Amino acid sequence: MDEIEIPPHFLCPISLQLMRDPVTISTGITYDRDSIEKWLFSCKNKVCPVTKQALNNSDLTPNHTLRRLIQAWCTLNASHGIERIPTPKPPIDKTQIAKLIRDAKKFPDMQHKCLKRLRSITLERERNRSCLEAAGAVEFLVSILKSFGSTLLEVESNEGSEFIKASDEALSILYQMKVSESCLKSIISNDQEFVESVVQVLKNGNYQSRAYATMLLKDIFQVADPIQLMSVTPEFFAEILRTLRDQISQQASKAALKLLVELCPWGRNRIKAVEGGAVFVLIELLLETNVDKRACELALIVLDQVCGCAEGRAEFLKHGAGLAIVSKKIFRVSHVASDRAVRVISSICRFSATSRVVHEMLQVGVVAKLCLVIQLDSSHKTKERAKEILKLHSRVWRNSSCIPSNLLSSYPSS
């Protein structure tokens, strides 16, 4: 195709590639379906990419005339190695999905076929996800998920066929649908049992289902209201922390950490997280050598939140490596991580600094690291917080031989 020039009006304005399924939007501009669907439905854009005009709707009208011209041009240039583009299948219609769901409800033995088709529709193209939502697929999948002990389905895998629960398949499709915020809000507001059902998957599901459950819960609680955020149960925290401890996948671990960041500031959630073992799990995570930057930042944010309560600080000090690993992360990850690490140390120094703790901070290098914070490029707030900590225990720390002489010069005066 490089040897022949493609007519400019055959090229998609977004991808600059030959259009395979040209569709026209309300502004009259034609794009390749895959490109414009990604622009509208994945990237959530509301304007025409070319004209920048606001779109009244997201209707995509097939441009059959242009498609036939492209196909004819491909046929004429077959000798140049250009393959004729196939005639695209018409997109799935909302009424077709609704009928599929009605049949599955009416005839339970069709549930497997329905779920298999829904998965295929979800993965087929971006636009299908909003069609599925409009046709009531989310409510149907939620109803299957709530019957956790539901029927077993035989599915094909690389190793042959295997049996999975219908609820696991429903959860997987729900996650892949990328359900809209308004729909998620509606589910969590009108269905008290839904979150409970997802927690049961966390408790009893296989690794893959637990990963999907964690990522779906992260999306749900990002749109939840304060009452829903405060009403999370201790069992919920215990299961999220088990997901984090088991390190099912990097994606699931980050989702679990983001969920904890979202939940901990509300009500008694910090105490529930501490009782579920959050402090130990977070410190052990920081001790891992392969933790990426964002996971490390999130872990320190949650540690900072839980160390805001007495229970959290007590658990932190029970772990022999807590102070050492938190101070070690200063300057080794990012400015965000350094700031949060200094905040954790500040909470310990202000509210839980026994004589043993003060001496331990000296021995494991926390004090020397705080002196370094004052010397090096840190945010103004972080430097001020480090100075406050050093002043607080200057009688014990100031003239200690544990602090290198080059750092001792930056020790603040009382």
Side-chain angles (χ1 to χ4, degrees):
M1 197 180 285
D2 294 336
E3 296 172 13
I4 188 164
E5 189 178 343
I6 302 170
H9 53 287
F10 288 179
L11 299 174
C12 172
I14 296 174
S15 67
L16 302 180
Q17 300 294 314
L18 184 70
M19 288 188 274
R20 303 180 69 80
D21 186 4
V23 291
T24 305
I25 62 172
S26 59
T27 57
I29 307 293
T30 298
Y31 301 91
D32 195 37
R33 185 185 289 278
D34 282 351
S35 297
I36 194 62
E37 283 186 352
K38 191 171 282 186
W39 170 269
L40 294 173
F41 304 117
S42 282
C43 304
K44 311 288 184 189
N45 290 302
K46 305 289 183 187
V47 296
C48 172
V50 170
T51 67
K52 305 303 178 195
Q53 283 177 264
L55 298 173
N56 302 323
N57 56 60
S58 55
D59 293 346
L60 306 176
T61 307
N63 191 330
H64 296 300
T65 304
L66 181 58
R67 176 179 52 77
R68 289 188 189 108
L69 285 170
I70 294 171
Q71 286 177 322
W73 178 84
C74 290
T75 304
L76 282 170
N77 291 281
S79 58
H80 295 280
I82 294 172
E83 292 181 11
R84 184 181 183 277
I85 60 166
T87 301
K89 288 192 297 183
I92 192 82
D93 187 74
K94 188 172 83 173
T95 53
Q96 292 172 276
I97 299 169
K99 184 182 182 304
L100 188 68
I101 292 166
R102 278 198 309 273
D103 289 347
K105 286 177 179 176
K106 197 172 177 182
F107 308 106
D109 56 325
M110 287 188 69
Q111 194 181 78
H112 178 204
K113 183 184 174 184
C114 175
L115 288 171
K116 191 176 178 183
R117 182 71 184 115
L118 288 177
R119 175 186 278 279
S120 169
I121 293 167
T122 303
L123 300 174
E124 222 165 67
R125 51 168 52 124
E126 301 288 335
R127 176 187 165 276
N128 289 358
R129 293 168 188 178
S130 55
C131 272
L132 284 161
E133 211 171 283
V138 174
E139 292 77 6
F140 172 65
L141 293 166
V142 166
S143 69
I144 293 175
L145 185 58
K146 281 162 64 179
S147 56
F148 184 76
S150 56
T151 52
L152 289 171
L153 306 175
E154 187 176 5
V155 295
E156 294 299 318
S157 70
N158 293 334
E159 286 119 27
S161 61
E162 59 177 328
F163 287 91
I164 64 163
K165 285 183 178 175
S167 55
D168 289 345
E169 182 70 357
L171 180 67
S172 158
I173 299 165
L174 262 179
Y175 172 71
Q176 286 162 346
M177 271 180 69
K178 306 296 177 198
V179 181
S180 68
E181 284 190 10
S182 57
C183 192
L184 286 173
K185 274 184 181 176
S186 173
I187 294 169
I188 196 170
S189 301
N190 303 324
D191 195 337
Q192 302 284 326
E193 295 172 22
F194 176 66
V195 172
E196 213 175 286
S197 302
V198 183
V199 173
Q200 287 306 308
V201 176
L202 284 175
K203 201 172 182 179
N204 304 305
N206 58 36
Y207 267 25
Q208 190 178 49
S209 296
R210 287 170 63 200
Y212 283 136
T214 306
M215 293 185 282
L216 185 61
L217 286 168
K218 186 262 294 179
D219 292 341
I220 288 167
F221 280 99
Q222 280 178 337
V223 299
D225 63 40
I227 292 171
Q228 290 157 346
L229 290 164
M230 286 188 280
S231 61
V232 173
T233 63
E235 182 188 29
F236 181 99
F237 278 101
E239 292 306 325
I240 289 296
L241 288 160
R242 188 165 72 94
T243 300
L244 194 54
R245 189 176 62 242
D246 291 348
Q247 294 188 32
I248 294 171
S249 72
Q250 206 173 59
Q251 209 179 354
S253 292
K254 279 188 189 171
L257 287 166
K258 285 176 184 174
L259 194 48
L260 291 170
V261 169
E262 197 74 45
L263 291 170
C264 280
W266 299 93
R268 296 186 72 257
N269 285 350
R270 288 182 303 183
I271 295 169
K272 292 174 194 172
V274 172
E275 288 171 349
V279 177
F280 184 86
V281 171
L282 292 165
I283 293 171
E284 288 297 314
L285 181 69
L286 291 172
L287 286 165
E288 294 282 335
T289 54
N290 59 345
V291 184
D292 73 14
K293 176 184 160 182
R294 188 56 186 149
C296 195
E297 288 174 347
L298 291 166
L300 285 164
I301 291 168
V302 182
L303 258 186
D304 176 30
Q305 290 172 334
V306 295
C307 283
C309 66
E311 294 84 351
R313 292 190 296 274
E315 286 300 310
F316 181 85
L317 291 171
K318 280 181 188 175
H319 196 298
L323 285 166
I325 192 61
V326 167
S327 69
K328 188 179 178 181
K329 295 300 174 185
I330 299 172
F331 295 128
R332 292 201 177 191
V333 182
S334 66
H335 284 303
V336 171
S338 296
D339 177 59
R340 290 293 177 163
V342 171
R343 284 171 64 106
V344 171
I345 294 165
S346 175
S347 292
I348 300 298
C349 283
R350 285 165 60 210
F351 304 111
S352 305
T354 61
S355 174
R356 180 190 68 78
V357 170
V358 170
H359 281 93
E360 184 187 341
M361 290 176 82
L362 199 56
Q363 289 161 359
V364 299
V366 176
V367 182
K369 189 60 79 78
L370 291 170
C371 290
L372 200 59
V373 168
I374 297 169
Q375 279 190 5
L376 298 182
D377 180 29
S378 305
S379 70
H380 176 70
K381 277 188 177 179
T382 306
K383 281 188 178 184
E384 288 304 306
R385 195 171 278 118
K387 283 178 185 176
E388 283 172 22
I389 300 168
L390 290 168
K391 285 177 185 178
L392 204 57
H393 301 290
S394 61
R395 278 193 310 164
V396 180
W397 294 341
R398 188 170 179 79
N399 299 311
S400 171
S401 58
C402 292
I403 306 173
S405 55
N406 64 314
L407 296 177
L408 199 55
S409 58
S410 61
Y411 202 104
S413 54
S414 300

